[in-house]
Structure formats: structure tokens, C-alpha cells
Amino acid sequence: MGDMHAVRNIVILTGAGISAESGLKTFRAEDGLWEEHRVEDVCTPQAFARDPDLVQRFYDMRRAAALAAEPNAAHEALATLDAEWPGELLIVTQNIDDLHERAGARRVLHMHGEVLSAWCTGCDMRHRWEGALLGDPPCPACGEASLRPDIVWFGEMPYEMDRIFAALAGADLFVSIGTSGAVYPAAGFVQEAATRGAATLELNLERSLGSRMFDETRLGPASELVPRWVAEVLA
Ligand code: APR
């Protein structure tokens, strides 16, 4: 990685790979979620309209898994960086688990939503939610049985895109961790950052679809690569 003294503003993109060593399935691995479930059945607004119970059951399963998981060394290292980095830092995660926050990170943005949040499509309120949504529990605010998982489904606009692009525009360094680069708009962030003059680094178990767009790629498990990289940055 180039001269860190010139780096003040960092944007970090994380994907399912950073939570894999915490026991949470990724999407596109051989035993991944998309091997067991069809996206069209569980991850679109049309699927929810067609069979809400199937969708609720899928996210109830993922909510229970997220609650049972623990942050790993990669989450902890990013929490340390968040606490000690004097410049701008934003962790943009595609993940719906709360392992970044449970490790202590604060400057985190969930662009695909959060599994521990329920969204009432009646009164538009969001609620911390740890239990099941199957069975249509009433909204704690309006009493309507209109709660859905607070997740960005395929065909829906990811959250806080303005804030993400503003951070990318000001970034000196863009780092991508544990993502396959298969899904836009996240897969396009490296190009956006590079066009704005940022240095770019990929930390991943295997080369992603966007590897050639990065200045540097390091291959290996996040629990090893991320603590090592954070130690370099804070040295
Ligand atoms: N350490 C580092 N990288 C890992 C590890 C690990 N222990 N385990 C897996 N990986 C890498 C894989 O090599 C792969 O490139 O993580 C990546 C996971 O890719 P995906 O399963 O495609 O997950 P992700 O990139 O987060 O998916 C993006 O797609 O399905 C949608 O909304 C969903 O947010 C998700 C988006």
C-alpha cells in the first residue's frame, strides 16, 4: 500500500465474506444462501407480495443466525481503526448483520438494510426487532400487521446512496473486504473512488469479479488480512 501519510479519508466496503468466519453463510459460495434459496422467491418485493410467509421465514432464519454469531478478528480490527483513525472513515457494509457494531465500530452504514430492524409499511416506522416476523405481529407504533424485514431487496434502491457517493468523492483510500463484486451499485464503488484519485485495495479470500480495477489485491481470510492491514495503517 502507498504512503499512508498522504491518506486522511478512508472508505471501506464490506460484504458477506467478512462475516463468514463468524459462521454466517455468504451468498455465492458452494454452500451459499443462493444455492439453497432462489433470489426470486425470497429477496424481491414481488416475492414478498406473492408469498410473504416464505420471505419472513427466510429472514427469521437469518435474524436468528445473526443473533447467535459473534464478531471475528476482522470486525474487531475495523472497530479499532474506527476508534483510532483521526481522519474521515466510513464503513459501508452490504451485510445485514450487526457484527460491525457489536465489535464496537460506530461509523457504519448499512446500504442493504438491517436484519435486526422491522419496517412498518403502514406508518413507515422502524423498530429494533429480534424475534420472528412470521405470523404478522402488530407494529408497536400503529398496531397494523404491516411489518416487513428492513432489507433492501433486488429492484429496490439501496440506502443512503448520497452519503456513500459523498464519502467516495472525498476518499484518499478505498478498501473492499469480503465481497465478490457481483452486485451493483456496490461493485461500482471502486471505479468511482479510483476516478476521484483514491488508492484502492482489495482484501478477499479469492479474486473478485472487479479485482483488475484495484491497485492492489491481497488474498486470504479476512480474520488474518484485516488485522494486519489495520496495524499497517495505524503504525
Ligand atoms: N475472508 C475474506 N473473504 C471471504 C471469506 C473470508 N473468510 N469467505 C468468503 N470470502 C469472499 C468470497 O471469496 C467472495 O468473493 O467473500 C465474497 C462473498 O461474496 P458473495 O457471497 O457474493 O457476497 P457479497 O459480495 O456480500 O454479496 C453482495 O449480493 O446477494 C446480494 O444483497 C446481497 O449484500 C449481498 C450482495
Side-chain angles (χ1 to χ4, degrees), residues 184-221:
Y184 282 77
F189 293 168
V190 56
Q191 227 155 0
E192 179 72 18
T195 311
R196 304 295 191 112
T200 56
L201 170 66
E202 174 180 56
L203 307 177
N204 218 48
L205 198 60
E206 61 204 335
R207 288 193 170 279
S208 72
L209 297 173
S211 268
R212 60 181 159 64
M213 292 188 273
F214 287 85
D215 297 320
E216 183 183 353
T217 290
R218 299 181 188 176
L219 300 179

Side-chain angles (χ1 to χ4, degrees), residues 154-172:
F154 284 94
E156 296 183 323
M157 178 57 83
Y159 293 156
E160 302 196 71
M161 289 304 292
D162 294 348
R163 194 172 149 216
I164 296 172
F165 276 104
L168 290 169
D172 304 306

Side-chain angles (χ1 to χ4, degrees), residues 14-22 25-29 32-34 39 43 59 62 72 74 93-96 111-112 151-154 177-184 186 202-209 219-226:
T14 66
I18 200 171
S19 294
E21 294 164 85
S22 294
K25 283 184 182 271
T26 65
F27 295 92
R28 294 171 183 83
L33 287 165
W34 295 153
V39 166
C43 201
Y59 286 100
R62 297 188 62 196
N72 62 56
T93 187
Q94 299 168 87
N95 300 343
I96 62 173
M111 70 179 288
H112 292 164
I151 306 291
V152 176
W153 287 325
F154 284 94
I177 304 171
T179 185
S180 59
V183 174
Y184 282 77
E202 174 180 56
L203 307 177
N204 218 48
L205 198 60
E206 61 204 335
R207 288 193 170 279
S208 72
L209 297 173
L219 300 179
S223 65
E224 290 172 21
L225 293 181
V226 179

